[in-house]
Amino acid sequence: MPDAVPAAARAHTEDLGAFVSASPSSYHAALEVARRAEAAGYVRLDETAAWDVVPGGRYVVVRDGSVIAVAVPPSAGATTPYTILGTHTDSTGFKLKPKPTTGRDGWVQAGVEVYGGPLLNSWLDREVELAGRLVTSDGTEHLVRTGPIARIPQLAIHLDRSANEGLTLDKQRHTQPVVGLGDVSQADVLAELAAAAGDAVEAADVLGYDVVLAETQPPRAFGIGEALWASPRLDNQLSTHAAITALLAVAPEDLAGIGVVAAFDHEEIGSGSRSGAAGPFLEDVLRRVSAGLGASEDERARAFAASLCVSSDVGHAVHPNYPERHDPANHPHAGGGPILKINANQRYATDAHGAARWQAACAAAGVPSQEFVSNNTVPCGSTTGPITATRLGIRVVDVGAAILSMHSARELTAVVDPWYLSRAMQAVLAA
């Protein structure tokens, strides 16, 4: 029998479940990070206002679906380096199109566009919700989530006898969810969203929206000893939750440098946006923090040169049904602790110095660690890590937690691994 799951690990992962449930979209996730930070005493900063950054201060900034939290040690000065925990808030799936009300043959449907690279078949026959933000004519942003309202129905096997020999889904024709019955001309998906937003929002007053489909089945532990954890959006809310939990657990006076959580939107589609890792958000915030501490450009550059970014995104545990897809010598196991991601072609930004820093942090935290490298015949994914290293010149190490079913509507990890990851992050912040 496997070892019992430590109570602290179970409590951490149950809190992860609460985080995921509160965060059906990147906009919800960013505000949930900000809410937790503010509840712990962090001050919300407005990018359009002047900032008064002081030693000992704690701050949080939201830009669209991205969020950055900053904890400044009381002893911080102009050349104090940064320790950054970089993650992302978005998940693969579907995004609502313009003119969202469609349908035929008595079915009302919502028009959606594929977002990123989801496992399409995993979204079939699930009750999902619409979630995101609406912007009204006065420029006000309203968060919205409908609860279960939609389903992408699979074709019955009686009408496709070859389905079990190889299911192929057309991204346009086969992925549009049903949301109701009746005459399409009398239906209005946007009106349903406006009603769900509350605040007396009228559909005619909604001039813009960013809305995605979101899985609604709650996260849960299961399996022998309830050692397994299934949840939507583990990629990458697992890392975002681990990072903010770690930062809030370290007192400012115990930080080795200026502690930062940077959770970006749009990683799943390349990070190229004003709120993505390829945009200026992190650099904007760090420069303003350094300026608030009286740093000259030379002193700011010295701080960056001594800084470290731990880029955390979920990675692949060895799949017991497909072990040949993994490197034969490096087999990261679920429950085996955080993974250190390495790639010769810099799809991950880990180098020898970053690896040493991470391994030392895991040892200090009493956390097991393992390494991931791709099989040479399987193309390697990437993260925000190389982008951050390229934009800022800060040393980056890529890490994560091992999961199965990555990019599925519902992913799988070990209950202990999110806790292990967060503990190692705490050790990095205090190193």
Side-chain angles (χ1 to χ4, degrees):
M1 292 292 290
D3 294 337
V5 174
R10 197 169 296 285
H12 175 94
T13 307
E14 287 173 355
D15 188 59
L16 167 61
F19 184 94
V20 169
S21 295
S23 306
S25 75
S26 59
Y27 308 101
H28 289 83
L31 288 182
E32 178 64 11
V33 169
R35 183 194 69 77
R36 289 176 177 231
E38 289 179 278
Y42 283 59
V43 175
R44 181 82 167 265
L45 297 178
D46 183 342
E47 287 193 87
T48 65
W51 291 4
D52 183 20
V53 176
V54 297
R58 294 176 295 168
Y59 311 99
V60 62
V61 190
V62 175
R63 179 185 288 186
D64 298 329
S66 299
V67 59
I68 296 177
V70 180
V72 184
S75 61
T79 60
T80 300
Y82 295 87
T83 305
I84 304 161
L85 305 177
T87 73
H88 68 87
T89 57
D90 62 321
S91 301
T92 61
F94 299 87
K95 188 173 182 181
L96 198 65
K97 287 183 174 182
K99 297 182 177 61
T101 308
T102 66
R104 58 183 300 169
D105 296 311
W107 296 100
V108 179
Q109 294 176 275
V112 297
E113 184 177 10
V114 176
Y115 179 87
L119 284 169
L120 296 177
N121 65 296
S122 72
W123 285 84
L124 300 176
D125 298 333
R126 295 178 178 272
E127 290 68 53
V128 297
E129 65 180 322
L130 295 170
R133 64 177 179 178
L134 311 178
V135 178
T136 48
S137 58
D138 62 358
T140 302
E141 182 176 304
H142 306 264
L143 282 192
V144 62
R145 62 186 306 177
T146 62
I149 194 175
R151 179 183 172 113
I152 303 173
Q154 188 168 189
L155 184 66
I157 196 167
H158 311 80
L159 304 179
D160 181 8
R161 297 289 183 178
S162 64
N164 287 332
E165 277 70 62
L167 177 64
T168 300
L169 297 174
D170 183 286
K171 291 180 180 179
Q172 177 62 39
R173 293 185 298 124
H174 300 152
T175 63
Q176 307 307 304
V178 297
V179 297
L181 299 171
D183 185 346
V184 173
S185 67
Q186 303 300 311
D188 189 346
V189 170
L190 190 55
E192 297 294 328
L193 282 165
D199 300 328
V201 174
E202 299 291 338
D205 199 36
V206 176
L207 301 188
Y209 55 82
D210 295 297
V211 173
V212 297
L213 293 188
E215 161 68 51
T216 58
Q217 186 179 354
R220 65 167 301 164
F222 71 104
I224 297 172
E226 293 196 328
L228 306 177
W229 184 262
S231 173
R233 301 181 291 282
L234 289 179
D235 183 5
N236 189 32
Q237 290 186 19
L238 184 158
S239 295
T240 300
H241 172 265
I244 192 59
T245 300
L247 183 62
L248 298 184
V250 180
E253 59 270 20
D254 294 332
L255 291 166
I258 300 170
V260 178
V261 168
F264 300 105
D265 202 353
H266 302 136
E267 189 274 345
E268 296 293 0
I269 54 173
S271 297
S273 69
R274 72 185 294 268
S275 55
F281 186 29
L282 179 57
E283 184 174 6
D284 287 348
V285 171
L286 299 189
R287 283 181 175 273
R288 293 181 76 171
V289 170
S290 287
L293 296 174
S296 66
E297 185 61 19
D298 179 75
E299 289 169 324
R300 194 275 312 156
R302 289 164 60 191
F304 276 24
S307 296
L308 176 71
C309 175
V310 175
S311 168
S312 181
D313 204 343
V314 292
H316 302 291
V318 172
H319 196 303
N321 298 337
Y322 304 90
E324 72 281 358
R325 300 299 178 94
H326 296 262
D327 180 75
N330 293 277
H331 271 207
H333 294 157
I339 54 175
L340 175 65
K341 298 180 176 182
I342 297 168
N343 180 256
N345 297 307
Q346 286 292 290
R347 299 290 287 170
Y348 304 131
T350 302
D351 66 5
H353 287 282
R357 288 280 298 274
W358 179 251
Q359 298 288 31
C362 289
V367 167
S369 64
Q370 46 192 340
E371 295 167 328
F372 173 84
V373 64
S374 290
N375 184 303
N376 287 343
T377 65
V378 179
C380 180
S382 191
T383 70
T384 63
I387 297 170
T388 299
T390 301
R391 272 202 62 93
L392 301 182
I394 289 174
R395 189 182 304 281
V396 175
V397 57
D398 269 296
V399 305
I403 72 168
L404 291 184
S405 307
M406 189 184 297
H407 286 199
S408 173
R410 196 166 177 85
E411 296 159 324
L412 171 66
T413 192
V415 169
V416 294
D417 280 334
W419 176 62
Y420 282 150
L421 178 64
S422 192
R423 286 175 59 195
M425 288 175 168
Q426 287 184 49
V428 166
L429 290 168

